[in-house]
């Protein structure tokens, strides 16, 4: 938490973060990475340093029932639960008018954004205190059937960044 670009570069074995847009997002190549994730995005603010990290997987091949996606998600969720406690789990259809409502259409409903599959660990939401000054952990499946895993490092840092952004509104 709070690491600047030079410190993140050192933590990535000398691989300098690559800026994505003209904001706080950078692609990073950490030395210590999980085999599920092919990309990592770090949010690094010039003034407040590192405040969020996200790992992103390759697209997951799945049949129309989405068994592979569900198996990967729930397997990963159990492993994270062993570290951070019970999450708030959301596995529901968001769009009741979707053409893809059946259990045999899970992959399609995820791709179309009509279904949400997410687990969230947060002291605000679950009441569980997380370790290492982490304030929020999220595991989710995107509409493109990819996994994302987000750590928000200490909410005070993220809040300071948001306050700076709000100042110009």
């Amino acid at each position: 938490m709070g690491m600047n670009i030079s410190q993140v570069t050192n933590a990535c074995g000398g691989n300098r973060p690559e800026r994505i847009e003209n904001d706080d997002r950078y692609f990073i190549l950490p030395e210590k990475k999980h085999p599920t994730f092919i990309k990592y995005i770090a949010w690094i603010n010039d003034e407040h340093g590192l405040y969020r990290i996200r790992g992103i997987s390759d697209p997951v091949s799945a049949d129309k029932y989405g068994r592979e996606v569900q198996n990967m998600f729930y397997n990963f969720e159990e492993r994270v639960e062993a570290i951070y406690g019970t999450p708030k789990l959301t596995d529901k259809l968001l769009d009741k008018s979707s053409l893809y409502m059946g259990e045999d259409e899970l992959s399609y409903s995820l791709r179309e954004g009509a279904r949400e599959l997410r687990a969230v660990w947060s002291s605000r939401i679950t009441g569980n205190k997380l370790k290492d000054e982490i304030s929020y952990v999220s595991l989710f499946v995107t509409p493109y059937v990819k996994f994302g895993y987000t750590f928000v490092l200490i909410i005070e840092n993220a809040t300071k960044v948001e306050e700076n952004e709000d100042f110009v509104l």
Side-chain angles (χ1 to χ4, degrees), residues 2-3 11 17 21-22 24 30 34 38 61 77 98 104 106 109 126 135 151 158:
M3 293 168 57
E21 294 286 333
N22 195 20
D24 291 347
H34 192 279
I38 59 151
S61 296
E77 182 270 331
S98 172
D104 65 337
L106 183 124
S109 64
T126 63
S135 62
F151 289 89

Side-chain angles (χ1 to χ4, degrees), residues 12-78:
C12 291
N15 293 314
R16 185 163 175 78
E18 177 187 330
R19 189 169 227 148
I20 297 173
E21 294 286 333
N22 195 20
D23 60 18
D24 291 347
R25 294 174 299 147
Y26 294 83
F27 284 119
I28 62 170
L29 295 168
E31 284 187 310
K32 186 178 176 183
K33 52 189 171 221
H34 192 279
T36 301
F37 304 115
I38 59 151
K39 291 182 190 171
Y40 286 86
I41 299 173
W43 281 254
I44 307 167
N45 181 267
D46 291 338
E47 186 177 340
H48 302 289
L50 177 68
Y51 63 95
R52 180 179 294 159
I53 297 173
R54 177 174 292 164
I56 302 170
S57 77
D58 264 333
V60 179
S61 296
D63 64 10
K64 64 183 182 176
Y65 293 94
R67 290 182 194 115
E68 296 87 348
V69 174
Q70 288 179 316
N71 287 342
M72 283 181 70
F73 177 85
Y74 285 108
N75 178 287
F76 211 87
E77 182 270 331
E78 285 177 9

Side-chain angles (χ1 to χ4, degrees), residues 106-153:
L106 183 124
S107 290
Y108 302 117
S109 64
L110 285 168
R111 280 192 190 102
E112 295 300 314
R115 185 181 194 100
E116 182 177 41
L117 184 54
R118 174 181 297 270
V120 174
W121 292 261
S122 166
S123 56
R124 287 190 202 172
I125 296 170
T126 63
N128 298 343
K129 180 154 174 42
L130 304 179
K131 67 180 195 165
D132 299 330
E133 300 183 273
I134 294 171
S135 62
Y136 178 89
V137 176
S138 174
L139 174 65
F140 55 92
V141 178
T142 70
Y144 300 102
V145 194
K146 293 183 179 184
F147 278 108
Y149 186 54
T150 302
F151 289 89
V152 175
L153 305 168

Side-chain angles (χ1 to χ4, degrees), residues 9-11 16 19 45 66 89 91 97 116 120 127 140 161 168:
T9 300
N10 289 339
R16 185 163 175 78
R19 189 169 227 148
N45 181 267
L89 190 60
D91 184 356
S97 65
E116 182 177 41
V120 174
F140 55 92
V161 171
V168 297

